[in-house]
Amino acid sequence: MTVDYLVMAAYLLGIIGVGWWGKRRAASKSDFLVAGRRLGPLMYTGTMAAVVLGGASTIGGVRLGYSYGVSGAAMVFAIGLGLLALSVFFSARIARLRVYTVAEMLSLRYGDAASVISGVVMWIYTLMLAVTSTIAYASVFDVLFDVPRWVAVVVGGTIVVGYSALGGMWSITLTDMVQFVVKSLGVFLLLLPIAVVKAGGFGAMADRLPHGYFSPTSIGGQTIVTFVLIYTFGMLIGQDIWQRVFTARSDKVAAWGGTVAGLYCLVYALAGAFIGMATKTLYPNLATADQAFATIVKQVLPTGVRGLVLAAALSAMMSTASGALIASATVANNDIWARLRRRVPLGAQEHDEVASNRLAIVVLGIVAMVIACVLGDVIEALTVAYNLLVGGLLVPILGGLLWRRGNLQGALTAMIAGGTTVIVLMVTDGLLANEPIYYGLLVSLVAYVAASLLSRPTDAAVLEAWRRRLAGEQAPAAAAPELSAV
């Protein structure tokens, strides 16, 4: 596999070079955290698709296809549906808020107290999301290169942390575009057709696969509903997703670019399931379904092509890892650390803001690598992240956007009640149980409505300021030089 190693090494070096080049654009807090809010439709679509389709979507999607057939596409399909819903119904309003974090949105809507708890929940979610992608690319290295898990984690993690810390969102956006192209070529034009042909085509696969592998519901109706609750709703409120929305140069770019990216996710979901099914046809007795992706790549692809497809897999994983990492750093530095140290001076220099966010990326990158060395299951880690996010924050966020009567008391009660319910049920019923998200959402909704109705409404002046902000009527930010961010 010497040629494959060279192809992958060249790709990784290229990613580092692109990240270094992006460092020149990260001159201000806005540039570092949201790419100066200047991305056009092409770059916005590519970077949004790249961040939502990471290691769990690629390795996990193939794994589910190997285990359940075409219905294994349900998880990634739910992600695509969530991105479509976000883009069609909410992204324009979110983009007009011109904030940096979800907690800042909650602070504008409910008051500053709402941002503290939400910041902690969002920080845990984004950190766990970075961990899942780290686990995913470590699993590929485990099978292909026979290296210890910690070596794979450290090598890949150092690259991701390096280019993320160098140029922030500009570096991540530029590398995401490279990764989006490589991923599309590797999965759709190479791995999918070659794997299906090697398996004898869909007819042969239907004859050799277990009964129900071509059924869209064989994974189970309850599991599909859970995927929708966790991943579809999770796409609506995740800091990593919102931070990409903030990069759009206009609300129209956010709406249309996100819609195209959502449709791309739906096709990607089917591709992953079919690759998993082809792997099951050829190698029905793998020790674990997590080995499905690496096995099909290693066994059926020719030299050189194999290296490109592996680079495509790493592209998917690194895109999500870097996006989650900068989201985690943004929340930690702006929503948590700044309040704990009681410092956000009115005249703080942008350079200092960039430096502190850069340091946060390095520190949290190391933390994510340590956790990834301890945890082993990418689906479990992702489920924990989304259970906490959706159970604790979905109702307060959507309630703030859709219901004028919702207030601070309702938001705080919903966060605490929903988050606590999810944590308790994950401990008692298991990390992958359906009950945590079902009951967590129900308890959060009841708590939000009841507490809001039993307490005083939000002050009319606050609601009016919120309405004007959503409508984009706030004073425009200082003009930035135009860049060709297509």
Side-chain angles (χ1 to χ4, degrees), residues 163-242:
Y163 74 73
S164 299
L166 279 173
M169 187 60 81
W170 266 122
S171 288
I172 291 171
T173 297
L174 295 172
T175 53
D176 275 358
M177 284 304 299
V178 175
Q179 292 163 345
F180 173 71
V181 173
V182 173
K183 177 169 60 181
S184 299
L185 292 174
V187 171
F188 290 112
L189 297 184
L190 295 174
L191 183 56
L192 175 60
I194 291 174
V196 171
V197 169
K198 289 284 187 179
F202 289 108
M205 289 164 59
D207 293 336
R208 297 168 60 184
L209 288 170
H211 176 71
Y213 260 57
F214 278 85
S215 168
T217 58
S218 62
I219 197 171
Q222 191 177 46
T223 299
I224 293 173
V225 171
T226 301
F227 283 157
V228 171
L229 289 178
I230 294 177
Y231 300 117
T232 300
F233 287 153
M235 286 294 105
L236 298 179
I237 59 175
Q239 169 67 27
D240 53 321
I241 310 303
W242 277 39

Side-chain angles (χ1 to χ4, degrees), residues 263-283:
L263 294 173
Y264 178 91
C265 292
L266 302 184
V267 180
Y268 197 89
L270 292 174
F274 288 139
I275 291 168
M277 293 164 66
T279 309
K280 181 71 172 180
T281 303
L282 294 167
Y283 308 99

Side-chain angles (χ1 to χ4, degrees), residues 118-130 328 331 336 384-385 388 423:
S118 64
V120 172
V121 174
M122 191 64 73
W123 175 70
I124 295 173
Y125 155 73
T126 51
L127 184 62
M128 289 301 295
L129 198 59
S328 182
V331 172
I336 300 175
V384 170
L388 289 172
I423 292 171

Side-chain angles (χ1 to χ4, degrees), residues 161-450:
V161 171
Y163 74 73
S164 299
L166 279 173
M169 187 60 81
W170 266 122
S171 288
I172 291 171
T173 297
L174 295 172
T175 53
D176 275 358
M177 284 304 299
V178 175
Q179 292 163 345
F180 173 71
V181 173
V182 173
K183 177 169 60 181
S184 299
L185 292 174
V187 171
F188 290 112
L189 297 184
L190 295 174
L191 183 56
L192 175 60
I194 291 174
V196 171
V197 169
K198 289 284 187 179
F202 289 108
M205 289 164 59
D207 293 336
R208 297 168 60 184
L209 288 170
H211 176 71
Y213 260 57
F214 278 85
S215 168
T217 58
S218 62
I219 197 171
Q222 191 177 46
T223 299
I224 293 173
V225 171
T226 301
F227 283 157
V228 171
L229 289 178
I230 294 177
Y231 300 117
T232 300
F233 287 153
M235 286 294 105
L236 298 179
I237 59 175
Q239 169 67 27
D240 53 321
I241 310 303
W242 277 39
Q243 199 156 342
R244 297 308 173 100
V245 174
F246 300 152
T247 66
R249 70 183 178 205
S250 70
D251 52 5
K252 291 183 179 179
V253 168
W256 287 103
T259 300
V260 174
L263 294 173
Y264 178 91
C265 292
L266 302 184
V267 180
Y268 197 89
L270 292 174
F274 288 139
I275 291 168
M277 293 164 66
T279 309
K280 181 71 172 180
T281 303
L282 294 167
Y283 308 99
N285 299 311
L286 293 179
T288 170
D290 277 329
Q291 297 177 352
F293 180 86
T295 299
I296 194 70
V297 169
K298 185 176 182 179
Q299 298 296 332
V300 308
L301 296 182
T303 300
V305 172
R306 183 166 47 207
L308 182 60
V309 171
L310 289 173
L314 292 175
S315 295
M317 301 166 202
M318 289 181 173
S319 294
T320 296
S322 59
L325 188 56
I326 193 172
S328 182
T330 303
V331 172
N333 192 56
N334 293 274
D335 295 330
I336 300 175
W337 177 237
R339 285 177 169 77
L340 290 177
R341 65 189 178 187
R342 298 184 179 278
R343 159 184 135 24
V344 187
L346 207 55
Q349 293 183 1
E350 290 290 307
H351 175 74
D352 293 335
E353 293 287 341
V354 171
S356 60
N357 281 287
R358 184 172 281 139
L359 177 61
I361 287 176
V362 173
V363 172
L364 291 176
I366 294 173
V367 172
M369 285 188 271
V370 172
I371 297 174
C373 289
V374 177
L375 296 180
D377 191 304
V378 66
I379 301 297
E380 282 190 358
L382 193 68
T383 301
V384 170
Y386 274 97
N387 275 347
L388 289 172
L389 174 71
V390 175
L393 295 183
L394 177 70
V395 170
I397 292 173
L398 293 189
L401 290 169
L402 300 174
W403 192 38
R404 283 180 59 88
R405 187 60 179 82
N407 60 14
L408 175 62
Q409 290 74 18
L412 293 176
T413 305
M415 289 179 202
I416 296 172
T420 301
T421 301
V422 164
I423 292 171
V424 170
L425 290 179
M426 281 195 296
V427 172
T428 58
D429 295 355
L431 297 180
L432 297 180
N434 294 320
E435 287 74 15
I437 194 61
Y438 292 167
Y439 291 108
L441 273 176
L442 179 61
V443 169
S444 181
L445 178 61
V446 171
Y448 181 73
V449 173

Side-chain angles (χ1 to χ4, degrees), residues 9-90:
Y11 166 77
L12 293 175
L13 288 173
I15 287 295
I16 295 172
V18 171
W20 181 265
W21 183 67
K23 180 178 183 292
R24 298 184 305 171
R25 293 189 172 190
S28 68
K29 178 181 178 180
S30 177
D31 289 332
F32 192 86
L33 296 182
V34 291
R37 306 186 195 273
R38 296 196 291 272
L39 296 192
L42 180 60
M43 290 190 74
Y44 179 84
T45 299
T47 192
M48 182 62 87
V51 73
V52 299
L53 295 175
S57 299
T58 303
I59 306 299
V62 172
R63 165 191 166 176
L64 291 174
Y66 183 91
S67 301
Y68 301 102
V70 71
S71 68
M75 183 184 77
V76 182
F77 208 85
I79 291 173
L81 290 178
L83 187 52
L84 284 171
L86 173 71
S87 302
V88 172
F89 298 111
F90 299 107

